[in-house]
Amino acid sequence: MVQQCSEQMSGDNLGIALPTMSTTPSFDWRQEWRELKEFLKKPRRGRIASAPFSQTWRRFLLVFGIDIAIVLFVTLPLDSILDEWAGLESKLEINGKIALYGIVFAPIIEELVFRAGLRKAGYSLFIGPIFVACFAGSMLVVGALATILMSIAVIDKIRMRWVPEGNGRRFARGRAFIRHYPYVFWLYAIGFGLVHLGNFYSSNGRDYLLVFAISAQLSAGFLFAYLRLRQGLLSSILLHSLENGLFFALEMMSG
């Protein structure tokens, strides 16, 4: 009984679970769609119940299908409008090296930065923001942010050394992180989209419209994170790579 209570109060098991998951071998597409909508409304970090490959590949296919639908019915129409209104241009010069980086290396790096530590409070609050700031390209910003966050982390670590092991304050911090976890999830998803603003520019100076050019990246930030928390980091890396590969293929065909 004591061991059971201890397990329930430990790190990743603090009273959280993902939305109700199917435990039967069959895969219910409608149920999965409902779970996805519920999760995006109120994200939860939780350990993933093991599922057979027959379920995981169908979930992967569903998320990929939603991702492609958003690109076809939202991103491409918006890009056409932005071409007219903002003179939308891409800074990326598509070639073999860029495609290789985008399909192989970028998914690994970006998934490690934006989604690998989504379950860890220490990473999400102190380490992740520093790595995300690196995408801004300003070492001054990175240095300042790193100094502030690391100072807070060190002070908190020292302060907690004086808190007795059984003190409820230790668990209170974990419960606070879980309670506010949706904001952590949403901020990382939105941040993933925003760092891609640097891929575009407006040829007529209407840079304020460029935020509409990253609709695909914004939606991908949410969908990749959902798949990462449901099936693990490898699934989100594969989906990320597949989406980038499709993007480069379309760019090469149209260019």
Side-chain angles (χ1 to χ4, degrees), residues 76 103 131 150:
L76 292 182
I103 296 173
F131 287 140
M150 289 299 102

Side-chain angles (χ1 to χ4, degrees), residues 1-253:
M1 186 67 172
V2 174
Q3 181 179 2
Q4 182 180 4
C5 293
S6 176
E7 291 175 353
Q8 290 176 349
M9 294 300 293
S10 63
D12 288 342
N13 293 326
L14 281 173
I16 51 94
L18 289 171
T20 305
M21 300 180 190
S22 303
T23 57
T24 58
S26 60
F27 185 85
D28 189 331
W29 296 90
R30 292 182 180 179
Q31 175 66 16
E32 186 65 31
W33 168 244
R34 287 193 294 267
E35 290 178 3
L36 172 59
K37 291 191 296 182
E38 180 184 346
F39 180 87
L40 294 181
K41 290 178 183 177
K42 189 175 182 180
R44 299 179 182 180
R45 63 155 205 178
R47 291 193 179 278
I48 309 164
S50 59
F53 181 72
S54 60
Q55 290 188 20
T56 58
W57 77 263
R58 286 181 171 86
R59 180 179 296 119
F60 183 96
L61 185 62
L62 175 64
V63 176
F64 179 62
I66 295 171
D67 192 28
I68 295 303
I70 292 173
V71 171
L72 293 177
F73 298 110
V74 178
T75 302
L76 292 182
L78 277 176
D79 285 353
S80 297
I81 295 172
L82 290 173
D83 284 340
E84 294 291 331
W85 291 3
L88 180 66
E89 299 287 346
S90 174
K91 294 181 181 179
L92 299 177
E93 296 183 5
I94 307 300
N95 54 49
K97 290 183 179 179
I98 293 295
L100 178 63
Y101 174 81
I103 296 173
V104 178
F105 298 106
I108 296 175
I109 295 172
E110 292 178 359
E111 293 303 309
L112 288 174
V113 169
F114 287 94
R115 283 169 276 278
L118 275 179
R119 287 200 183 93
K120 305 294 184 180
Y123 180 90
S124 299
L125 300 178
F126 299 110
I127 301 175
I130 298 172
F131 287 140
V132 172
C134 291
F135 284 87
S138 172
M139 294 310 298
L140 180 62
V141 173
V142 174
L145 186 62
T147 301
I148 294 172
L149 292 178
M150 289 299 102
S151 298
I152 294 173
V154 170
I155 292 172
D156 182 68
K157 188 72 173 179
I158 295 174
R159 184 174 63 87
M160 291 304 294
R161 288 176 63 90
W162 299 96
V163 177
E165 286 292 335
N167 194 294
R169 288 168 58 188
R170 291 182 176 271
F171 298 114
R173 294 192 310 165
R175 288 192 294 268
F177 176 71
I178 293 168
R179 186 168 61 252
H180 296 95
Y181 185 74
Y183 299 105
V184 175
F185 179 93
W186 293 329
L187 285 172
Y188 271 91
I190 294 171
F192 174 77
L194 291 178
V195 298
H196 289 84
L197 276 173
N199 293 346
F200 306 97
Y201 70 94
S202 171
S203 60
N204 60 18
R206 295 177 176 174
D207 293 331
Y208 56 87
L209 292 175
L210 292 181
V211 68
F212 297 102
I214 58 171
S215 58
Q217 289 84 356
L218 283 171
S219 61
F222 288 90
L223 294 174
F224 293 171
Y226 170 75
L227 200 61
R228 182 266 179 275
L229 291 173
R230 287 300 301 266
Q231 298 189 174
L233 189 64
L234 180 59
S235 289
S236 63
I237 291 175
L238 291 176
L239 181 60
H240 195 155
S241 179
L242 186 60
E243 185 193 72
N244 284 3
L246 181 62
F247 164 77
F248 286 118
L250 292 175
E251 284 291 318
M252 290 178 178
M253 287 189 294

